[in-house]
Amino acid sequence: MEITVPEGRIVTGSLTEDERILSGVLRHVREAARDSNFLLPGELKLAEWLGCSRPQVRVALAQLERQGIVIRSQGAATVVDPVALRLSARFEASVSYGEVLARMGYTPSVEILTAETIELPAALAPLLSPLSTNRAVKIVLRWYADEQAAMVAEYTIPLPAGEHDTINPTDPVYESAKKLWGEGIAWEIVTAGVALLDDKYADLLQLEKGTEAKMWETIGVTLSGERIFYALEHHHPTLVMYSFVRTMRAPWSAIPGH
């Protein structure tokens, strides 16, 4: 199975002028939350920094207000809601990592480190579909937020028997897995943890060896129960904060007969 590996970094998606302005405003939103004052600069200052008009900034702020990320009041400074900002990167949202970075106001790009067909590692075989062969596609990507390495992802997609379509290593892994298996992902089993970066990952993430980094293992499962990809991700510890929304059990569920 041939997989074409382009050289260099690929900026994921081109931004329209409105998207560019929204991304720029989001950068200042992120900085306001990081600095813990939660106050955005005024519209005139934002327009000056972003090289756009004040009405364009106002449109971007209105969009963020509808999302609950900022709170605007007549005659007062625009305030960032730090809880709503965290929800820009949610565990339950099935989007590509580039989209996550863009939502946080970064310019995302991705570098394909390797993309090849390999023998399915013995350690992963029990985690993946028993219908797979002993072959797999392995894709290793390094994502950037602006110029900072943000995440290294290692994706292993076991190959089913038969002929296989060529895949694009920059596509989201759940799309590539669906293309190979003919069935989409219904849910993911995610195990979150922390890793002390060894030489390999410290170099890839441009951090010191021994730095604590977020680590996720993910198994993609189809509606029929087939487990068709495994992902191992190491994330920069501070660039993006991830959240999930959990619904608590309704109080009446504890009532007998309900």
Side-chain angles (χ1 to χ4, degrees):
M1 181 178 180
E2 296 291 333
I3 305 175
T4 301
V5 182
E7 295 183 1
R9 284 160 52 184
I10 302 167
V11 175
T12 56
S14 57
L15 299 180
T16 65
E17 180 65 3
D18 288 343
E19 290 170 338
R20 181 190 72 81
I21 295 166
L22 178 62
S23 177
V25 173
L26 273 168
R27 289 171 188 260
H28 292 287
V29 166
R30 191 179 69 244
E31 289 171 4
R34 182 189 62 202
D35 296 340
S36 299
N37 62 18
F38 305 115
L39 299 179
L40 272 185
E43 293 176 0
L44 283 174
K45 183 59 70 175
L46 287 172
E48 178 185 341
W49 288 342
L50 297 174
C52 64
S53 68
R54 186 174 180 179
Q56 288 175 304
V57 169
R58 194 174 293 130
V59 168
L61 289 173
Q63 183 174 340
L64 296 178
E65 184 178 32
R66 288 192 297 271
Q67 297 173 11
I69 291 175
V70 301
I71 302 167
R72 298 193 296 170
S73 302
Q74 185 67 32
T78 300
V79 180
V80 176
D81 184 338
V83 173
L85 182 61
R86 293 184 183 191
L87 297 181
S88 294
R90 301 195 306 271
F91 279 125
E92 82 277 13
S94 180
V95 296
S96 73
Y97 192 65
E99 290 177 80
V100 170
L101 294 177
R103 289 179 181 183
M104 300 300 293
Y106 294 109
T107 297
S109 60
V110 64
E111 178 184 10
I112 304 169
L113 300 179
T114 61
E116 57 187 343
T117 304
I118 63 169
E119 294 289 328
L120 181 62
L124 296 186
L127 303 178
L128 297 169
S129 173
L131 297 180
S132 60
T133 65
N134 65 344
R135 304 287 289 169
V137 172
K138 183 170 184 178
I139 301 169
V140 182
L141 306 177
R142 174 163 53 180
W143 284 92
Y144 290 82
D146 297 339
E147 296 302 314
Q148 172 63 59
M151 189 263 280
V152 176
E154 302 178 38
Y155 300 122
T156 303
I157 309 173
L159 292 174
E163 297 295 320
H164 309 115
D165 290 334
T166 299
I167 61 173
N168 183 344
T170 61
D171 285 342
V173 63
Y174 42 83
E175 291 184 11
S176 296
K178 180 180 179 180
K179 189 173 184 180
L180 291 173
W181 282 81
E183 185 179 6
I185 299 297
W187 64 86
E188 295 178 335
I189 302 169
V190 181
T191 304
V194 175
L196 297 179
L197 297 180
D198 59 16
D199 288 324
K200 170 186 172 181
Y201 290 109
D203 180 61
L204 290 173
L205 286 172
Q206 303 167 346
L207 296 168
E208 295 292 330
K209 180 181 178 181
T211 300
E212 292 183 352
K214 306 179 184 83
M215 183 181 71
W216 293 352
E217 291 184 276
T218 303
I219 298 171
V221 186
T222 68
L223 197 60
S224 67
E226 298 301 326
R227 302 188 294 272
I228 62 174
F229 80 77
Y230 170 85
L232 176 64
E233 299 177 354
H234 288 76
H235 293 248
H236 190 285
T238 60
L239 284 176
V240 179
M241 179 177 290
Y242 305 93
S243 301
F244 65 91
V245 177
R246 181 172 64 184
T247 302
M248 304 303 291
R249 186 175 65 176
W252 52 84
S253 64
I255 301 175
H258 290 74

